[in-house]
Amino acid sequence: MRVDVLGLQAFVSIAERGSFRAAASHLNLSQTALSHRIRKLEESLGTPLFLRTTRQVSLTAAGTTLLPRARRIFEDLGFAINEVRVDLREGDEQVSLGCLPTVAAHCMPGVIAAFAARHPGVGVRIHDNSASEIADKVQSGEAEFGVTIVAANRWDLELKPVVKEPFVLVSHRAMPLAQAASLTWAQLQDEPLVRISAETGNRILIDDALGARRESLTWRYEVQRVVTAVSLVRSRIGYAVVPQLALDLVDAGDLVAIPLRSPAVTRTLGIITRKSVPVRPVTRDLIALLSQALKRSIVPRRDEEK
């Protein structure tokens, strides 16, 4: 049954003030309009709620039963409205996003500094997670948007590609391949390589690009995270293939990044948001700053092969 909120409001006002005149004045209604609301409510309930005399108005048994319940309805409604207001106010004070660790390390410090200058009262919460975890957080609403690898998109997420980032070979300066201007995958065939776990989006992209050729390479070590792979390279036990921005996770120092070709492998980075959910203006501003930072950070190579 549809709840007659206006009728209940009129009922509570009359019961608390003891007269139609006082209730009508409180609600800024005419007594005729107020009486119409009460009559409509009583008709829908099938019972009178007030005993009316020329001097006073009192509650019937049904009215006495209804009053505390009607008051509770308006109390609960008031609490709900206040909670929504608090949520909206807190939402305006913080933007939550998911971001790949390599992107977070390279871009976010400068982006947050620029964002803070524009919106000094707004905080930023960063979920620096894997691509699948970022999609989960955006899908659930825990993050308003995500900066992630463009792959098979989920049906309820909107995706906007921003930039292509190449994979590079990371080498210690003292290792044999460190002086190369660029390398083909065939030249890596007999070299000890560090492989990233198959559970990551980076590994999937490399495997897909190489096809059967990946089995001819010497994947001597396997790790879960890019930063671990780079640390192994620093110890000179092998080379690692990682996204270009990965070296910003650590102090590159004695490490170098060498372009790879035949084929050149890239990952497309983009912004994901939930479909049919409007993006707040403050969030749009952060997305724009991040997109600009990504485009500045990754400059395409002329020798990149498709």
Side-chain angles (χ1 to χ4, degrees):
M1 182 183 72
R2 187 170 62 182
V3 177
D4 184 358
V5 176
L6 294 179
L8 286 175
Q9 182 190 46
F11 164 71
V12 171
S13 186
I14 294 168
E16 289 179 342
R17 287 162 182 77
S19 75
F20 276 66
R21 178 180 297 175
S25 177
H26 173 72
L27 295 176
N28 197 27
L29 294 171
S30 67
Q31 290 191 51
T32 300
L34 183 68
S35 297
H36 174 73
R37 288 187 182 183
I38 290 299
R39 183 165 61 253
K40 184 178 177 182
L41 178 63
E42 289 175 331
E43 288 175 354
S44 69
L45 295 174
T47 184
L49 298 173
F50 294 106
L51 295 172
R52 304 170 179 81
T53 67
T54 55
R55 293 190 176 183
Q56 65 179 9
V57 174
S58 59
L59 293 171
T60 63
T64 301
T65 300
L66 179 61
L67 182 59
R69 291 170 172 79
R71 281 173 171 160
R72 195 174 307 122
I73 288 172
F74 287 109
E75 286 175 1
D76 290 343
L77 182 60
F79 287 142
I81 290 172
N82 285 335
E83 286 177 358
V84 169
R85 286 173 176 164
V86 169
D87 288 345
L88 289 173
R89 187 165 59 251
E90 289 179 348
D92 288 339
E93 294 171 356
Q94 179 173 276
V95 178
S96 178
L97 69 141
C99 189
L100 295 171
T102 50
V103 175
H106 185 93
C107 297
M108 288 310 300
V111 167
I112 290 178
F115 183 77
R118 297 187 187 186
H119 307 278
V122 180
V124 179
R125 183 179 184 186
I126 304 170
H127 302 276
D128 46 345
N129 296 122
S130 67
S132 61
E133 290 170 324
I134 291 170
D136 288 341
K137 290 188 181 296
V138 174
Q139 202 167 33
S140 68
E142 188 175 352
E144 290 183 70
F145 72 96
V147 186
T148 187
I149 301 171
V150 174
N153 197 21
R154 306 190 187 188
W155 67 270
D156 56 347
L157 296 181
E158 195 78 44
L159 191 149
K160 181 181 179 181
V162 175
V163 69
K164 282 188 175 182
E165 177 189 12
F167 283 84
V168 296
L169 184 78
V170 180
S171 170
H172 191 282
R173 292 184 185 276
M175 296 176 72
L177 299 181
Q179 303 306 314
S182 66
L183 291 165
T184 66
W185 288 88
Q187 290 174 285
L188 305 182
Q189 190 165 340
D190 298 320
E191 303 294 339
L193 299 176
V194 182
R195 189 202 296 259
I196 308 296
S197 168
E199 298 176 0
T200 67
N202 292 328
R203 165 72 175 276
I204 293 170
L205 289 171
I206 293 172
D207 285 354
D208 287 348
L210 295 180
R213 280 182 291 181
R214 67 179 180 270
E215 301 305 329
S216 65
L217 298 171
T218 307
W219 300 105
R220 187 165 296 169
Y221 311 101
E222 182 168 317
V223 298
Q224 299 296 312
R225 299 185 181 279
V226 168
V227 67
T228 309
V230 173
S231 296
L232 291 182
V233 175
R234 194 183 298 281
S235 70
R236 310 186 194 185
I237 67 171
Y239 304 91
V241 178
V242 300
Q244 179 182 304
L245 296 180
L247 288 186
D248 289 328
L249 287 173
V250 296
D251 177 16
D254 48 6
L255 302 179
V256 294
I258 304 165
L260 287 169
R261 53 192 176 83
S262 299
V265 183
T266 63
R267 66 177 187 176
T268 300
L269 302 177
I271 305 295
I272 58 171
T273 56
R274 282 181 293 167
K275 289 181 179 177
S276 304
V277 177
V279 178
R280 295 180 298 151
V282 67
T283 304
R284 284 201 300 270
D285 198 20
L286 182 56
I287 289 173
L289 289 170
L290 255 172
S291 299
Q292 292 164 11
L294 279 172
K295 291 175 181 177
R296 288 194 302 267
S297 299
I298 301 170
V299 180
R301 302 192 312 272
R302 290 183 180 180
D303 64 337
E304 190 173 278
E305 298 180 16
K306 303 297 180 183

